[in-house]
Amino acid sequence: KTHSKIIIITTTIIDDPSTARLNETPGKINHKIDLDSPKVATMDAIKDGEKKVYCRCWLSGTFPLCDGSHVAHNKEVGDNVGPLIVSVAKEE
């Protein structure tokens, strides 16, 4: 019997001046993903035995999945951002 798990990931844009990047709106984190929406929300299903890696830096070209863009970002600005890793144990 196969079971599907549903993971709902929501992200809210926060207004924190410390997250501003050069030449971008101060306090804004998301500068390229679904900019016309009031809130970016993603729903994804994960099957038994599956693992997914989700972006938390807003820089991934494969958003909502991580493409490793945070590595260059961390190196450039001294940050420590990393992905959200979600896995579902395989049912036996």
Side-chain angles (χ1 to χ4, degrees):
K1 185 175 181 180
T2 303
H3 298 283
S4 290
K5 310 291 191 266
I6 297 196
I7 307 293
I8 299 173
I9 298 174
T10 61
T11 307
T12 304
I13 308 301
I14 58 170
D15 188 18
D16 179 357
S18 68
T19 62
R21 294 191 180 108
L22 190 61
N23 297 323
E24 296 174 347
T25 307
K28 190 168 183 176
I29 298 170
N30 176 19
H31 295 276
K32 67 180 189 176
I33 310 297
D34 202 9
L35 297 176
D36 294 331
S37 293
K39 177 168 68 173
V40 178
T42 303
M43 184 184 309
D44 201 356
I46 299 179
K47 298 175 183 167
D48 288 344
E50 192 173 30
K51 175 176 94 172
K52 291 194 179 180
V53 182
Y54 294 96
C55 174
R56 293 193 306 175
C57 72
W58 293 94
L59 300 172
S60 176
T62 58
F63 191 88
L65 298 177
C66 175
D67 69 359
S69 293
H70 61 276
V71 174
H73 163 79
N74 289 347
K75 192 174 205 177
E76 181 183 334
V77 302
D79 208 345
N80 66 347
V81 175
L84 167 66
I85 302 170
V86 178
S87 63
V88 176
K90 194 171 194 173
E91 247 184 67
E92 294 182 26

